[in-house]
Amino acid sequence: MSGPMVKAEGVHKRFGRLEVLKGISLSVDPGEVMCILGPSGSGKTTFIRCINHLEKIDAGRLWVDGELVGYRQVGDKLHELPDTEVCRKRAEIGMVFQRFNLFGHMTALENVIEAPIRVRKLQKDQAVKRGKELLDRVGLSQKYDSYPSQLSGGQQQRVAIARALAMQPKLMLFDEPTSALDPELVGEVLDAMRRLAKDGMTMIVVTHEIGFAREVGDTAVFMDEGVVVEAGNPREVFASPKHERTRAFLSKVL
């Protein structure tokens, strides 16, 4: 494809009287890793939830792989897609949350193969083969038969990454994937994400991990109060931010 994988134009989102997104415009190219930073309440999580239509936008346009998210345009009017169509498109976007959301009664492998079998109608033997490959890829080749309660937080998050990859997404969204982890477990999850980036996966990562953003990110975006304050090459943004709000934020987290 020649166009951006994700394109946002003037995206607004409100919850009641609270306007959380106030006109977000940005684009992410195929294979790009975009890291979004900002204080709590700046709209980061809401924005990435809009990308897979977990939240409906109130104004603007959002495209993934050239198709409008959640809507079909006829003339100058938008028509919301039926739930079945939204779910089908959402299956092409992997999402990893702060909390791992694994099924506690299923093993690591069972968690990974559940959606490909149920949603993609993959044959079980194919799903198992693919599931084991993905668990190997995130460094869990010894944990196929372990239940979530038998895994560390870092291991559970890596199962969640493998589970998202099992649907063969064209785009991966990460919502502060290390924020619920003990500090010593953060590195193993970031390593799995580094390998994904190296393999060319398009990724949007909401994170406070400045080192990861500087090393792996192609673009760093600083959001505050529902707007994009600053965006650019991560090394440049972190070394010499142009805006006072960015400087104040980075002085606290660096």
Side-chain angles (χ1 to χ4, degrees):
M1 59 174 289
S2 56
M5 178 60 76
V6 178
K7 184 179 180 183
E9 282 187 359
V11 170
H12 289 254
K13 174 64 184 175
R14 62 171 61 248
F15 295 100
R17 297 173 67 179
L18 177 64
E19 191 174 22
V20 178
L21 301 178
K22 303 173 184 176
I24 301 293
S25 296
L26 50 78
S27 66
V28 183
D29 289 330
E32 181 178 345
V33 178
M34 175 177 283
C35 295
I36 303 180
L37 304 96
S40 296
S42 58
K44 310 181 301 293
T45 291
T46 298
F47 176 65
I48 66 166
R49 286 175 64 86
C50 289
I51 293 173
N52 64 1
H53 207 56
L54 287 174
E55 301 290 353
K56 299 175 185 179
I57 65 176
D58 295 313
R61 297 285 191 276
L62 254 175
W63 292 266
V64 171
D65 200 10
E67 295 187 355
L68 279 171
V69 174
Y71 298 91
R72 181 180 292 109
Q73 186 160 344
V74 181
D76 59 354
K77 290 189 176 180
L78 290 183
H79 299 268
E80 190 164 0
L81 295 174
D83 288 346
T84 52
E85 184 75 2
V86 170
C87 289
R88 186 182 68 77
K89 291 181 180 295
R90 189 179 289 142
E92 300 175 341
I93 303 172
M95 187 154 185
V96 178
F97 300 87
Q98 296 178 35
R99 298 289 171 181
F100 325 122
N101 298 334
L102 300 178
F103 295 115
H105 64 291
M106 293 182 178
T107 65
L109 182 58
E110 288 169 342
N111 266 281
V112 172
I113 68 174
E114 176 76 0
I117 291 172
R118 284 184 177 270
V119 179
R120 291 224 184 270
K121 308 302 180 187
L122 204 63
Q123 293 295 317
K124 185 173 182 180
D125 58 341
Q126 290 179 287
V128 167
K129 181 174 183 290
R130 171 81 173 146
K132 288 180 175 178
E133 289 171 355
L134 289 170
L135 287 169
D136 293 349
R137 187 172 168 188
V138 296
L140 293 173
S141 56
Q142 307 300 314
K143 301 293 183 180
Y144 299 158
D145 299 320
S146 298
Y147 289 89
S149 62
Q150 299 169 313
L151 300 172
S152 71
Q155 290 169 335
Q156 290 185 60
Q157 191 62 297
R158 284 185 282 154
V159 173
I161 292 172
R163 179 178 62 181
L165 291 173
M167 293 297 284
Q168 298 181 294
K170 58 180 72 172
L171 166 68
M172 285 284 286
L173 308 175
F174 293 87
D175 183 16
E176 297 194 34
T178 59
S179 65
L181 300 177
D182 292 333
E184 68 269 21
L185 303 177
V186 167
E188 63 192 55
V189 173
L190 295 181
D191 284 344
M193 293 169 64
R194 282 187 185 93
R195 288 194 291 274
L196 269 187
K198 193 173 180 182
D199 290 343
M201 175 62 73
T202 310
M203 297 162 58
I204 301 178
V205 185
V206 171
T207 184
H208 290 302
E209 300 292 339
I210 301 292
F212 174 86
R214 183 189 287 119
E215 174 196 348
V216 181
D218 298 298
T219 308
V221 172
F222 174 65
M223 284 179 63
D224 193 19
E225 296 183 354
V227 300
V228 172
V229 176
E230 189 161 351
N233 180 290
R235 291 159 197 79
E236 294 173 9
V237 170
F238 299 146
S240 53
K242 295 181 173 65
H243 294 267
E244 179 55 40
R245 277 195 284 176
T246 316
R247 285 195 288 272
F249 174 79
L250 291 174
S251 70
K252 294 173 184 171
V253 297
L254 285 176

